[in-house]
Amino acid sequence: MPRVLPSRLLPLALGVAASASLAACGADQTAATVEPVGDTPAERAPAASKVSGLLGRLADVPASHGRLAFVNEAALADLELPLPAAEVRSIVLGAVGASRVADDTVSAAAQLGAITVLVDADGARRVVGASGALADQLESTTPSASVLAPETASAVQSCLGDPAAQVMRGSEVLGPTSGLGVSVLAATEPGERGPVLHVCAAPHYVRELHAIEGRLKTRFPKAEVGEQEIGEREIVSAVVPVDDLDASELRGLLGGGASLLELARG
């Protein structure tokens, strides 16, 4: 039986799905939002989700199918991590991508292979590392299909939350309709200690779910690990307090390389 989607993920799951759907239809509407709690009208106003606002409106191009990374600059600056924000940015975006986040005018960035997509504080989008038709595709905020339009990518993103930084690995690395991601974000549930790491996997074959769940439990014995259904996809995930990781392990996971991939491949 599929597990019920945890309450902390449901608002973002709906937001990401809506954002991806709008992007797939080319609709020019505002990005998906989450509802903060507050006492004043300003505090009650919906806060735009940076990740769905950028990735939900980013064209689905071949470069995104291998390694897709994202950084929310303000959220990253606010997190208390065992690594400096500049180092996390470099690990997630790569040295080249991080060097393109040159000043405080950048609010968010995505890295697709050698291509960097930057969003300025005023919402303007810039593409570095691509030209011609490809650059035009990535500059558009109303693509015919976004990177989060496929059900696997949408489900993994919903599981990853609205992070300060994340890396997703896709079908080019893992095979058809497979996805894997890691994100770091502020604690979202009462009782969670400080920032948390989300590791989320959507394997091609359902039989692989239990094997990945076992690896997650072995790797992160103190984590909240379980299976859930997001849309039409079965997901297995772990929520790991960053305090339970040493700096070296955090580096390896956020890099999206062998340390992360071995959780899916064994």
Side-chain angles (χ1 to χ4, degrees):
M1 290 289 291
R3 307 277 181 89
V4 176
L5 182 64
S7 60
R8 68 167 172 271
L9 300 179
L10 184 56
L12 186 71
L14 296 174
V16 168
S19 181
S21 177
L22 289 172
C25 296
D28 186 14
Q29 300 185 34
T30 56
T33 60
V34 293
E35 297 286 347
V37 176
D39 297 324
T40 69
E43 290 171 334
R44 291 194 298 269
S49 165
K50 289 283 188 183
V51 70
S52 60
L54 175 50
L55 300 188
R57 295 178 177 279
L58 188 66
D60 186 11
V61 298
S64 68
H65 298 167
R67 184 181 188 278
L68 175 62
F70 166 85
V71 167
N72 175 342
E73 285 293 303
L76 181 58
D78 286 343
L79 280 191
E80 295 185 4
L81 297 173
L83 304 175
E87 184 177 357
V88 173
R89 183 187 304 113
S90 183
I91 291 168
V92 171
L93 298 180
V96 172
S99 71
R100 292 167 177 167
V101 184
D103 53 53
D104 58 7
T105 65
V106 175
S107 65
Q111 189 72 25
L112 308 78
I115 305 167
T116 311
V117 181
L118 304 170
V119 177
D120 292 331
D122 62 1
R125 183 180 291 190
R126 293 179 284 136
V127 176
V128 185
S131 59
L134 179 58
D136 291 341
Q137 279 184 281
L138 295 172
E139 285 173 357
S140 173
T141 59
T142 56
S144 57
S146 85
V147 295
L148 299 186
E151 63 180 9
T152 298
S154 181
V156 171
Q157 183 60 67
S158 295
C159 174
L160 291 175
D162 193 8
Q166 72 173 47
V167 174
M168 295 175 67
R169 306 306 303 265
S171 58
E172 183 179 292
V173 177
L174 298 169
T177 63
S178 296
L180 174 68
V182 60
S183 64
V184 62
L185 62 162
T188 56
E189 287 287 291
E192 287 181 340
R193 294 182 284 116
V196 293
L197 200 77
H198 285 195
V199 180
C200 305
H204 180 67
Y205 296 107
V206 174
R207 65 174 180 266
E208 296 173 349
L209 283 169
H210 299 308
I212 295 173
E213 183 175 7
R215 292 183 203 116
L216 290 171
K217 288 179 176 178
T218 299
R219 182 82 168 270
F220 310 113
K222 297 180 181 179
E224 177 189 337
V225 178
E227 298 177 22
Q228 57 193 266
E229 185 178 280
I230 301 179
E232 298 299 317
R233 286 310 314 262
E234 293 282 347
I235 294 280
V236 60
S237 65
V239 179
V240 189
V242 170
D243 286 349
D244 290 345
L245 304 170
D246 61 32
S248 177
E249 189 168 23
L250 184 59
R251 288 187 188 97
L253 291 167
L254 287 177
S259 183
L260 179 69
L261 291 173
E262 67 184 12
L263 293 169
R265 294 171 170 167

